[in-house]
Amino acid sequence: MKLNYKKISKMLAVVVVSSIGITACSTDFLDVTPPTEIPSSEVWGDGALSEGFVTGIYAGLQQGGFSEQMLASLSDEAVFTHTGRNINTVNEGSLSPSNLGWVDATYGWSQMYQYIRATNIAINNLPKATFTDQGLKDRLMGEALFLRAYYYQQLVRYYGAVPLISKVYELNEDYSVTRNTYDECIKFIIKDLDEAATLLEGKTLPKGRTNKVAALALKSRVLLYAASDLHDIPTAKTKSALISGYGNPEFLGYLSGDRKARWQAALDASKAALTAGNGGYMLNLTAPVSAAEGKKNYISISMGGGSKDKDVDASAASEIIFGKYFSPNLTSDNGRRHGLDNGPNGYHNWAGNTPLGLLVDDYEMMDGTKFSWTNPVHAAAPYVNRDPRFYASILYDAADWKPRDKISGNVDPANQIQTGAYDLLDGDGKLINRKGLDTRQSSIEDWNGSRTGYYQRKFIDPNPDIVENKDRQDIPWPFIRYTEVVFNAIEAYIELGQDAEALAWLNKIRFRAGMPAIKATGQALREAYRQEKRIEMAYEEQRYHDARRWMIAPSTLGRSLTYISVTGKFKSGKSMKEPYHYDKTVYDYSYVPVTEKAHENRTWVDKMYFRPFSRDEINRNASLKQNPGYDQ
């Protein structure tokens, strides 16, 4: 198979260690500025140049999950506001090898193989490098092995099995490579991670680079996915006729074998990572914190130590095992404009990936009961007494937010989100109905407001001195955080029938949020765990993969979009002059959930369990032939 190596053959014939090295991770990196091109024969004779080379490979991580179009908008977490980005191609099930829809660079086929090639060059050259610092050689080899494993797991969890390349191809070679089986891919990735963990043992690295715990944590994720329904072919066939018709199901998962052993391997890997880790952030509680503390905890976790806001606990940075950090002096970093990309248009932001009502409605009440629109108390005040993580993650009508006058003028002294339509008296005392400042009919910007009536708060710095439209934030992206590994262990415990252990860990997470303990067992515990992970890991590139590997996508990712319609009508004898602010003594508020199909008519087609390979790649290699849904 020809993997387009000619297009990337120039890469790594020389080393370029300028901007990609700095933007890849943290400013703690060694700042090396060599000439633009250095012969490869010299790179492996100099420790600093070898380190610069490996630093450059981190560039494949891109902006982490802070792309303008987030993976959340391919799930039932969010919808992307702006048209013409080919996200609807994916969500409406019309993607094909000839029409891939939106593909992010963090898992794109050519991008991943480009950086896998880079790791292979490092892995093949470091053993014969002539510089004398063996500790540095070991550390760089560990980093390269981790990065190769990371990029391969990105390919495998989107596409299924892929060709495994470990040699360095040169120009004019035969690039034909057979697609490996799923089992072979998993074993290859795990071998790299085991070796990386050994080589990184005892090594202290700057934030933004990998480490031993990151290697163990990624191993936990890979083995958990491998044990899941989607990759156990006998189980998957009972849930999808399309998988039953797949000509080579060994590319998708395991045809047979001891599934219990796979769950045990996932549990063992998770426990090893938890033991090696630092304990995460506030996961040692024996009772729920207050609602106010729960909200603060989760704002702090999402800031990852990157905010200077006075109410954010910087020690929550301990949650991040492996993250992408941004350099304040690089204004071009798109990851630093996450608030601009997603903030309210009434603050002159772009409202990119706005939360769906489907997600909002899944946040429980403070007492642990489910929220329901059929409950008249809930429906009358849907944003009262909810899980504190809701207030740390979602901006909703009347939510307190930043000083609006720093960017939009003195039009909202209350500094509250306005996504409804409200009765008001104008300057002449005439009754009007005014659309809120953060709607798509806003008097500030009337073209890029939320379609859903909600905005993302998670990952947006609450520091009032940061004005997203002109400033940039420095919040890190968590590729892997400690709580993900805890969830991996919980899921494995449940699947192995060890409910008590699962509950103990699950309730530690809930106590940190201020939520009461869960007491379920069996299938009810499995459902409670899945609900908890949906809420805890919202917007963290977990839901899209979880819904697929659990094979619940038809009833989750395939649902129609739901929005909220908010109106405020004057109570009898009451009125308010402009500017508007939320006041339930003046207004009767109504909240009506709305199902919408015009912007995206979402559906689920089973071919979407795996991303399609491009038609060009399939034509080069018949072993990339996919399921009948894509092959037709």
Side-chain angles (χ1 to χ4, degrees), residues 97 103 133 227 301 318 480 537 618:
V103 182
D133 187 341
I301 288 171
S318 61
I480 309 174
M537 306 299 286
I618 293 173

Side-chain angles (χ1 to χ4, degrees), residues 315-547:
S315 71
S318 61
E319 259 289 295
I320 298 179
I321 292 176
F322 180 53
K324 170 65 183 278
Y325 297 83
F326 299 94
S327 179
N329 63 329
L330 290 176
T331 57
S332 62
D333 266 352
N334 288 341
R336 299 185 66 234
R337 70 177 202 186
H338 187 71
L340 172 62
D341 286 345
N342 296 283
N345 64 314
Y347 290 75
H348 290 285
N349 300 318
W350 299 347
N353 303 272
T354 52
L356 293 172
L358 297 170
L359 173 63
V360 171
D361 296 350
D362 276 352
Y363 285 88
E364 294 176 348
M365 306 302 293
M366 271 299 299
D367 62 2
T369 58
K370 293 184 179 298
F371 171 85
S372 174
W373 285 107
T374 62
N375 182 317
V377 176
H378 296 178
Y383 311 132
V384 176
N385 294 325
R386 302 291 291 273
D387 182 330
R389 288 171 291 193
F390 167 70
Y391 305 104
S393 304
I394 309 293
L395 290 173
Y396 53 92
D397 187 70
D400 294 330
W401 195 225
K402 297 184 178 185
R404 201 185 294 264
D405 61 0
K406 290 189 176 183
I407 184 68
S408 301
N410 189 26
V411 293
D412 175 25
N415 301 318
Q416 296 170 335
I417 298 300
Q418 299 181 13
T419 58
Y422 323 103
D423 284 350
L424 280 170
L425 299 181
D426 66 13
D428 297 325
K430 180 181 178 182
L431 177 65
I432 59 174
N433 187 261
R434 176 75 74 204
K435 299 291 186 180
L437 298 175
D438 304 302
T439 65
R440 294 183 66 79
Q441 297 80 35
S442 169
S443 58
I444 295 173
E445 285 193 6
D446 62 359
W447 61 276
N448 61 350
S450 169
R451 297 177 187 275
T452 69
Y454 300 109
Y455 287 93
Q456 181 186 169
R457 174 171 181 165
K458 190 172 185 176
F459 296 128
I460 298 180
D461 195 337
N463 185 344
D465 292 330
I466 292 180
V467 178
E468 287 81 13
N469 186 269
K470 59 182 180 180
D471 301 322
R472 295 292 178 264
Q473 65 178 40
D474 298 309
I475 308 307
W477 172 260
F479 290 109
I480 309 174
R481 65 178 173 101
Y482 196 86
T483 303
E484 179 192 343
V485 185
V486 172
F487 274 126
N488 295 348
I490 291 169
E491 185 169 344
Y493 276 130
I494 291 171
E495 299 304 331
L496 291 168
Q498 300 176 40
D499 289 0
E501 292 86 348
L503 273 172
W505 276 110
L506 193 61
N507 287 328
K508 288 179 181 180
I509 296 171
R510 287 176 66 83
F511 291 163
R512 180 175 65 186
M515 294 295 288
I518 290 172
K519 299 179 181 179
T521 59
Q523 180 60 27
L525 176 57
R526 181 181 289 108
E527 294 303 320
Y529 155 74
R530 292 180 176 183
Q531 155 72 11
E532 191 70 16
K533 190 175 184 188
R534 168 159 168 71
I535 295 303
E536 173 78 18
M537 306 299 286
Y539 276 86
E540 294 188 43
E541 297 198 332
Q542 298 282 326
R543 180 65 172 180
Y544 172 78
H545 296 292
D546 286 344

